[in-house]
Amino acid sequence: MEVPMKNICFLVLFITLGIAGIDGVYGDGECGKSSPDMEAFKLAPCASAAQDEDAGVSDRCCSQVKKIGQNPSCLCAAMLSNTARSSGAKPEVAVTIPKRCNIADRPVGFKCGAYTLP
């Protein structure tokens, strides 16, 4: 009877550590507990602006970029995410959006993958 109880205790400990690892390590990425793909959904108002540098940038887009851009690493991860790419966003165009929104405190020169925020 003692052996199965040890196995059960080990299993409970293993599950507890696994859950703590998911919340503590895997949940805290560039965008905190949110994934870059989830943040990219918030940038939906920027879809046309991320595909064409000559397209207008809406106030809703600029508002979201300013909010997410408080964490430049998260903004870059969202702009370079699979969700952004699958929506047709061009990374070289997407990184120009903060400048096109005239965001004064944007992270100029911030390295965003292979691109640099202007």
Side-chain angles (χ1 to χ4, degrees):
M1 191 87 168
E2 202 170 311
V3 173
M5 188 57 139
K6 284 182 182 179
N7 288 343
I8 291 171
C9 289
F10 178 75
L11 182 61
V12 169
L13 177 64
F14 183 73
I15 290 171
T16 303
L17 290 175
I19 291 171
I22 289 170
D23 286 344
V25 176
Y26 299 113
D28 292 342
E30 298 95 338
C31 299
K33 298 226 179 267
S34 181
S35 72
D37 286 305
M38 290 305 294
E39 294 301 310
F41 280 117
K42 296 175 186 175
L43 295 174
C46 303
S48 61
Q51 296 171 4
D52 179 6
E53 199 165 353
D54 295 325
V57 184
S58 71
D59 290 341
R60 284 184 59 213
C61 170
C62 291
S63 175
Q64 286 300 106
V65 168
K66 185 170 184 159
K67 188 183 301 181
I68 297 170
Q70 291 175 355
N71 177 349
S73 295
C74 179
L75 180 61
C76 285
M79 289 191 295
L80 301 176
S81 70
N82 290 332
T83 298
R85 278 192 224 120
S86 67
S87 74
K90 298 176 182 173
E92 66 276 10
V93 175
V95 297
T96 67
I97 293 175
K99 181 178 182 180
R100 290 162 54 202
C101 287
N102 295 317
I103 298 173
D105 58 347
R106 70 184 185 275
V108 175
F110 189 85
K111 201 74 171 138
C112 193
Y115 309 96
T116 303
L117 293 176

